[in-house]
């Protein structure tokens, strides 16, 4: 029987243009068997097979199924595919439940709910979002979880850091050559190794425009592997998932070890959590131990009548570190109730802040967007004295992303900031969200999730008491301080070309 990796239902629009760094090879004692194959089953790559040669970098299970770890995938300079399409030996509901069963008395288990995934669950069960949150807290407590949060505090920190980063880039902007940074790989959150010891000079940080958002791991993975020249333009601010990991594991943790699980709208968040950039070398632990998609949480809830569960009384810590009002009666959000906020609201928030900070202009409640050629591209600009001083764009989906990158490459990009998401429709339409019963119902379901998501009371990010506590206690009391950049920002890596990383690789 052959060991194989099956990649199906691919939807990332990116072709496997380079070879696989981790060629598959049988690990059993019987070397007379046929070589392992990689099977791609999709409209584009149907019937493509790859014969593997030494060395063997893939582990196989007792069922002769090749197991590709997330780090194996991140080390690859080849294809960019949905993380859900790989048979993964970690980052699963089974792993999370097994960890609970084994370590619930020795570790503190913390679950972070993303607002988008929570909205997907609430829409599925026809529950108000705050009620859904408290019922999910009850469920997680019943299975042994100690603390349940949402990522509101982390999202507020991400907005504050990203807007300060943009102001720094705008004031110190330089035109950089469209060139590839030196190839490197992360060892831990504080150490990076370069493939060529003579080529370690990185481009200057926080000077390139347009600033491209970095909270979408699918887009970041694509940039590092296939368009590394874009790295100087990518915001260094961590995503809310990873900022919450920093809070839970490094800043707020007690002496008891912490197991941190997040529930996200996107399978690619599993890849993000597995980056060595988010590995604490001192403790040899990751900031996020396990990521579950909203659809995986729904599978865990099979046989559970969520609507009949009691609404949990939240602890004072759960209220402080989550975006809920005292008592958990309603959700608080730093995003406006209008505009494009389903993917974090970066464009809306940073545009309004930059207009006021740089030009003392107060923006209207509804920004005057100009639609592009499709619903996933739009832009907004600010004119002062007849001169355009700010121009922001929103680009969702790889077709729009590639259009933006082509303009940047040619030094003809008119934008100062671009909010980028790999999924058409953004995070509320993420690949890990709960799917409709039929494809025809997808639009209606996304609209329903969007309606539930927006059922929140506005609270400015800077007015969040948890945010103030983090800055005053851990970050020298200042946004974008050296300490903040150390803990709330990250870096990206140009994945080396195939020939440099693995001379044994084979072209697809």
């Amino acid at each position: 029987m052959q060991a194989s990796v099956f990649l199906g239902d691919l939807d990332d629009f990116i072709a496997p243009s380079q070879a696989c760094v981790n060629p598959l090879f049988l690990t059993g004692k019987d070397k007379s068997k046929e070589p392992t194959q990689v099977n791609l089953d999709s409209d584009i790559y149907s019937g493509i097979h790859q014969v593997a040669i030494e060395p063997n970098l893939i582990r196989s299970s007792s069922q002769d199924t090749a197991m590709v770890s997330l780090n194996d995938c991140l080390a690859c300079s080849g294809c960019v595919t949905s993380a859900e399409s790989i048979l993964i030996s970690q980052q699963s509901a089974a792993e999370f439940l097994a960890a609970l069963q084994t370590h619930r008395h020795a570790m503190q288990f913390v679950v972070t709910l993303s607002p988008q995934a929570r909205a997907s669950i609430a829409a599925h069960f026809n529950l108000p979002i705050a009620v859904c949150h408290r019922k999910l807290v009850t469920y997680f407590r019943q299975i042994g979880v100690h603390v349940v949060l949402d990522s509101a505090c982390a999202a507020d920190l991400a907005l504050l850091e990203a807007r300060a980063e943009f102001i720094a880039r705008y004031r110190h902007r330089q035109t950089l050559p469209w060139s590839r940074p030196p190839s490197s790989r992360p060892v831990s959150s504080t150490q990076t190794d370069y493939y060529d010891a003579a080529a370690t000079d990185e481009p200057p940080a926080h000077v390139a425009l347009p600033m491209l958002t970095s909270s979408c791991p699918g887009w970041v993975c694509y940039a590092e592997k296939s368009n590394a020249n874009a790295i100087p333009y990518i915001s260094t601010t961590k995503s809310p998932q990873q900022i919450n990991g920093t809070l839970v594991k490094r800043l707020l943790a007690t002496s008891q070890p912490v197991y941190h699980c997040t529930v996200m709208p996107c399978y690619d968040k599993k890849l993000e959590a597995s980056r060595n950039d988010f590995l604490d070398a001192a403790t040899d632990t990751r900031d996020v131990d396990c990521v579950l998609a909203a659809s995986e949480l729904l599978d865990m809830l099979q046989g559970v009548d969520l609507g009949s569960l009691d609404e949990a009384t939240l602890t004072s810590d759960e209220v402080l570190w989550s975006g809920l009002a005292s008592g958990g009666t309603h959700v608080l959000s730093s995003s406006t109730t209008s505009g494009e906020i389903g993917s974090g609201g970066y464009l809306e928030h940073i545009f309004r802040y930059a207009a006021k900070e740089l030009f003392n202009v107060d923006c209207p409640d509804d920004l005057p967007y100009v639609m592009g050629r499709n619903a996933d591209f739009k832009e907004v600009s600010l004119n002062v004295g007849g001169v355009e001083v700010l121009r922001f764009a929103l680009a969702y989906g790889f077709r729009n992303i590639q259009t933006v990158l082509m303009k940047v490459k040619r030094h003809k990009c008119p934008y100062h900031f671009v909010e980028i998401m790999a999924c058409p429709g953004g995070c509320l339409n993420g690949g890990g969200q709960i799917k409709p019963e039929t494809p025809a119902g997808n639009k209606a379901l996304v609209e329903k999730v969007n309606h539930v998501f927006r059922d929140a009371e506005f609270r400015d990010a800077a007015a969040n008491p948890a945010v103030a506590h983090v800055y005053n206690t851990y970050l020298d009391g200042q946004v974008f301080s050296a300490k903040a950049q150390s803990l709330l920002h990250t870096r990206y890596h140009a994945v080396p070309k195939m020939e440099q990383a693995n001379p044994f690789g084979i072209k697809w």
Side-chain angles (χ1 to χ4, degrees):
M1 180 178 180
Q2 292 181 345
S4 64
V5 175
F6 178 77
L7 306 181
D9 191 26
L10 306 184
D11 58 3
D12 283 329
F13 317 113
I14 303 302
S17 58
Q18 300 182 48
C20 180
V21 170
N22 295 320
L24 306 184
F25 200 79
L26 288 174
T27 57
K29 295 181 179 180
D30 184 4
K31 296 293 184 177
S32 64
K33 295 182 180 180
E34 292 295 321
T36 303
Q37 293 179 337
V38 177
N39 300 318
L40 294 117
D41 183 15
S42 72
D43 293 339
I44 301 176
Y45 309 117
S46 179
I48 296 179
H49 302 291
Q50 178 59 61
V51 178
I53 59 172
E54 295 277 12
N56 169 35
L57 299 178
I58 305 294
R59 294 153 299 286
S60 67
S61 70
S62 58
Q63 291 79 30
D64 286 329
T65 300
M67 308 300 289
V68 182
S69 78
L70 293 175
N71 273 325
D72 292 330
C73 183
L74 288 174
C76 177
S77 64
C79 62
V80 177
T81 58
S82 293
E84 65 181 309
S85 62
I86 302 175
L87 290 176
I88 299 172
S89 62
Q90 56 198 59
Q91 302 281 356
S92 65
E95 181 204 16
F96 172 61
L97 293 174
L100 266 175
Q101 181 70 23
T102 306
H103 303 295
R104 62 185 299 179
H105 300 298
M107 303 181 73
Q108 184 179 42
F109 279 77
V110 179
V111 168
T112 296
L113 303 171
S114 80
Q116 295 88 351
R118 181 179 59 191
S120 183
I121 295 289
H124 179 82
F125 287 98
N126 295 309
L127 294 170
I129 195 163
V131 172
C132 179
H133 182 99
R134 296 196 301 275
K135 288 179 179 291
L136 286 173
V137 172
T138 297
Y139 166 74
F140 279 115
R141 287 178 181 173
Q142 287 178 348
I143 64 174
V145 173
H146 302 97
V147 180
V148 181
L149 311 172
D150 69 16
S151 56
C153 176
D156 288 346
L157 288 166
L159 289 176
L160 295 179
E161 289 297 315
R163 77 186 193 184
E165 180 187 351
F166 174 77
I167 297 299
R169 287 175 180 259
Y170 191 91
R171 287 174 170 162
H172 304 101
R173 58 190 180 275
Q174 299 177 21
T175 300
L176 299 182
W178 183 255
S179 59
R180 179 184 175 86
S183 297
S184 65
R185 67 180 183 89
V187 177
S188 69
S189 60
T190 57
Q191 182 182 350
T192 295
D193 280 357
Y194 291 89
Y195 285 84
D196 183 353
T200 61
D201 291 336
E202 297 280 357
H206 304 142
V207 297
L209 289 179
M211 186 172 103
L212 311 175
T213 55
S214 58
S215 61
C216 173
W219 139 244
V220 170
C221 188
Y222 163 67
E224 290 182 316
K225 293 180 179 182
S226 302
N227 232 316
N229 299 43
I231 286 177
Y233 300 86
I234 301 176
S235 169
T236 61
T237 303
K238 289 180 181 179
S239 72
Q241 170 177 274
Q242 296 309 135
I243 288 180
N244 221 55
T246 299
L247 295 178
V248 169
K249 283 291 193 80
R250 304 192 193 192
L251 302 185
L252 307 178
T254 62
S255 58
Q256 187 178 23
V258 174
Y259 186 100
H260 184 207
C261 174
T262 65
V263 181
M264 292 287 146
C266 173
Y267 288 101
D268 287 340
K269 284 293 182 180
K270 298 172 185 280
L271 293 175
E272 180 181 63
S274 294
R275 294 174 66 94
N276 282 346
D277 300 275
F278 308 125
L279 174 69
D280 185 353
T283 60
D284 194 31
T285 60
R286 299 190 183 279
D287 295 340
V288 177
D289 296 289
C290 184
V291 179
L292 302 177
S295 56
E296 291 176 300
L297 175 55
L298 181 63
D299 290 339
M300 290 173 59
L301 290 169
Q302 293 299 316
V304 176
D305 184 1
L306 188 65
S308 68
L309 294 182
D310 293 335
E311 297 177 29
T313 299
L314 305 182
T315 67
S316 58
D317 282 342
E318 287 174 330
V319 171
L320 175 64
W321 297 106
S322 297
L324 285 93
S326 179
T329 55
H330 55 279
V331 172
L332 302 173
S333 173
S334 56
S335 299
T336 60
T337 56
S338 62
E340 295 295 335
I341 62 172
S343 299
Y346 287 90
L347 183 152
E348 289 262 340
H349 184 91
I350 296 174
F351 186 86
R352 295 177 189 278
Y353 179 78
K356 184 65 175 179
E357 176 72 13
L358 296 172
F359 306 104
N360 197 31
V361 173
D362 293 309
C363 294
D365 290 341
D366 294 319
L367 294 182
Y369 284 106
V370 176
M371 300 302 297
R373 292 185 176 181
N374 55 72
D376 285 316
F377 191 91
K378 60 182 67 176
E379 58 183 74
V380 61
S381 60
L382 175 69
N383 289 273
V384 176
V387 178
E388 184 179 81
V389 292
L390 288 177
R391 192 171 180 182
F392 283 29
L394 178 148
Y396 292 171
F398 279 106
R399 176 175 56 176
N400 291 324
I401 292 172
Q402 289 167 332
T403 298
V404 169
L405 292 182
M406 186 59 66
K407 291 179 179 179
V408 176
K409 177 181 179 180
R410 295 173 177 173
H411 297 289
K412 294 183 178 180
C413 184
Y415 309 115
H416 298 100
F417 176 94
V418 185
E419 180 178 308
I420 289 182
M421 298 291 157
C423 289
C427 294
L428 289 177
N429 189 39
Q433 296 284 70
I434 297 172
K435 299 295 187 291
E437 294 182 0
T438 63
N442 189 66
K443 182 178 180 180
L445 179 59
V446 172
E447 290 176 351
K448 182 179 181 180
V449 173
N450 184 47
H451 177 75
V452 171
F453 179 81
R454 292 173 183 270
D455 183 20
E457 178 181 317
F458 176 75
R459 178 180 66 184
D460 186 74
N464 186 335
V467 167
H469 175 77
V470 170
Y471 278 115
N472 293 332
T473 306
Y474 306 105
L475 306 177
D476 298 331
Q478 186 177 353
V479 177
F480 206 55
S481 64
K483 185 67 70 68
Q485 290 186 50
S486 172
L487 291 173
L488 304 184
H489 291 249
T490 186
R491 61 180 304 175
Y492 310 102
H493 308 273
V495 175
K497 296 296 184 181
M498 184 58 228
E499 294 78 10
Q500 183 179 5
N502 179 14
F504 294 100
I506 302 177
K507 301 289 184 181
W508 285 6

